[in-house]
Amino acid sequence: MITLPLLLLPTLRDFALRLGRDYHEDLQALAETTVLRLTVRPSNSEPPFRFLDLPKEIQLKILKYTDLVAHG
């Protein structure tokens, strides 16, 4: 299946896929199925961690251990 490598991606918030310049019913169905697999969270998965609900002080302490903030 041409879209198999895409299924290795994590669940995405939004995704669009175009498999050709012209409309083909089979390719359209494959694209729709692939997009649904990549964007719909399985029903048995846990909800995402609500980092932004933590107090700012805790957020900053956690971020100190990442490369997402400037150290200094």
Side-chain angles (χ1 to χ4, degrees):
M1 175 186 341
I2 193 168
T3 59
L4 191 59
L6 294 173
L7 299 178
L8 299 174
L9 293 171
T11 303
L12 304 172
R13 179 179 294 165
D14 193 19
F15 184 71
L17 180 61
R18 184 174 178 173
L19 296 176
R21 288 179 11 148
D22 300 321
Y23 177 80
H24 295 281
E25 190 174 336
D26 293 343
L27 290 179
Q28 178 69 25
L30 177 59
E32 288 176 4
T33 302
T34 303
V35 168
L36 285 174
R37 282 186 175 179
L38 287 171
T39 57
V40 175
R41 187 175 293 277
S43 61
N44 62 351
S45 67
E46 294 183 24
F49 180 72
R50 298 176 55 109
F51 179 78
L52 296 177
D53 288 345
L54 292 172
K56 295 292 180 205
E57 298 81 13
I58 303 287
Q59 290 180 28
L60 290 173
K61 286 186 182 232
I62 292 171
L63 289 173
K64 283 183 184 179
Y65 293 96
T66 71
D67 293 328
L68 300 175
V69 294
H71 298 283

